[in-house]
Amino acid sequence: MSVAVAHAVSVAVRPKKPRRLGVRVLWVAITAVVIGATMSAHIKWDRLADFPASLVRYLRLMFLPPDWASFGQALTATIESVEMAWLGTVLGIVVSFPLSFLAASGVAPRWVRLPMRGLFGLLRAVPEVVIAIIILSVTGLTPFTGALAIGIGSIGTLGKWGYESIENAERGPMVAALTCGASPVQVMRWGLWPTVAPEVFAFWLYRFEINVRASAVLGLIGAGGIGSMLVQNVQYRNWSTVGMLFIVVVVVTMMIDGVSGRIRTKIVTGRWRG
């Protein structure tokens, strides 16, 4: 009798099978979007079979052997791209840092905070290449154009990271500063900034890493640096020089990433990464 009762109870409380109609509709929609995007891209599928052979051919032209005589010129162009990225990052930091406080909850009023966040969102939505094209009519195709575009593009990202760090900061030090009679400026300087400084510094370094890659892309439209040299040599089919450019830019970028990563780890954790 007890077995029958237990069986009846188990049948009674058995959960219903969840309906997955919404998930299925979502997957169908995603599949339709992917298929539509693929069809509208006009991909020549018959040429994909030739891609591996073509890739091997061009790699052989670029790296067997690379043009070692152009090493100095490639290094100079890469350094120019790094300088462009550094200047753009500094410009972005100088502008975005004070604006981050105006976009943070608990620091600025709503009527100031919301427009500032909208500005950050707008700047994040516009690629650096588009910004460079817009401002080149004023500044011309110079490395400064690339640095200015990187700086403007960095404001949106750095501003967002900044106000999120401020909002997530511990309130204890700020409350202690207020208790001691500190002014609002002193509260931010001694109660807020020491708490968020490691995270903000790490964000600044990470953005510099991103900007190094962006500077190479901006060079493709004539803003100087490694991108400009790359376009010129591709146009004239100087593949061995292109190979040398790839080697230099990859090595320099990896070195910057490694050093920056170690510094960020030291800032955030207090110890050097092994």
Side-chain angles (χ1 to χ4, degrees), residues 47-72:
R47 298 190 62 180
L48 289 179
D50 301 330
F51 176 75
S54 299
L55 178 62
V56 171
R57 174 174 173 268
Y58 283 108
L59 289 176
R60 186 181 297 115
L61 290 173
M62 287 190 294
F63 299 112
L64 295 179
D67 184 14
W68 293 102
S70 62
F71 172 78

Side-chain angles (χ1 to χ4, degrees), residues 116-132 134 149 152-158 160 207:
M116 198 59 60
R117 293 189 179 191
L119 175 62
F120 290 154
L122 176 63
L123 293 178
R124 289 197 308 274
V126 183
E128 287 84 355
V129 174
V130 177
I131 297 174
I134 293 174
I152 295 174
S154 299
I155 292 173
T157 305
L158 292 176
K160 177 179 173 60
R207 183 65 203 189

Side-chain angles (χ1 to χ4, degrees), residues 29-47:
I30 293 174
T31 303
V33 170
V34 172
I35 293 175
T38 303
M39 294 178 63
S40 62
H42 304 293
I43 300 175
K44 297 181 180 179
W45 297 102
D46 56 331
R47 298 190 62 180

